[in-house]
Amino acid sequence: IIVAGGPMYWGQVSSSIDGYLKTVPNNANLGVFGSTGSSSFVQSDFVSLQNQVASDTHDARVAIKLILVGNETNDCADLVSALLQQV
């Protein structure tokens, strides 16, 4: 299981995360998170993150989660639960 992520800027994860995602083996169980610095869910940020991850990884077994301010514990728990269901 691999978890990668970090801050998002204008709907995109940083170039270092983007570059790392391109190196993840296709058979890995991957979790990707983006932290927006906001307490509100923005659908366009999530769709942008999904598209970026899909473009980088070409793997259907990816759990993706936005981490929102004030809900970090629940959001991280949701990501871990989704990853464990893949195993």
Side-chain angles (χ1 to χ4, degrees):
I1 293 177
I2 299 171
V3 177
M8 291 181 62
Y9 305 99
W10 299 280
Q12 298 288 310
V13 293
S14 68
S15 60
S16 59
I17 298 299
D18 187 58
Y20 177 74
L21 291 175
K22 292 176 181 173
T23 68
V24 174
N26 285 340
N27 62 346
N29 290 331
L30 177 63
V32 178
F33 68 90
S35 57
T36 64
S38 172
S39 60
S40 301
F41 179 84
V42 177
Q43 183 67 31
S44 61
D45 284 343
F46 184 71
V47 170
S48 179
L49 179 58
Q50 283 180 312
N51 291 339
Q52 186 177 13
V53 170
S55 173
D56 288 346
T57 62
H58 307 291
D59 186 30
R61 295 184 307 148
V62 180
I64 302 172
K65 186 72 178 167
L66 288 181
I67 308 298
L68 303 178
V69 172
N71 200 42
E72 296 91 340
T73 300
N74 290 332
D75 290 340
C76 291
D78 290 347
L79 178 62
V80 170
S81 291
L83 277 168
L84 292 175
Q85 289 176 11
Q86 292 178 358
V87 179

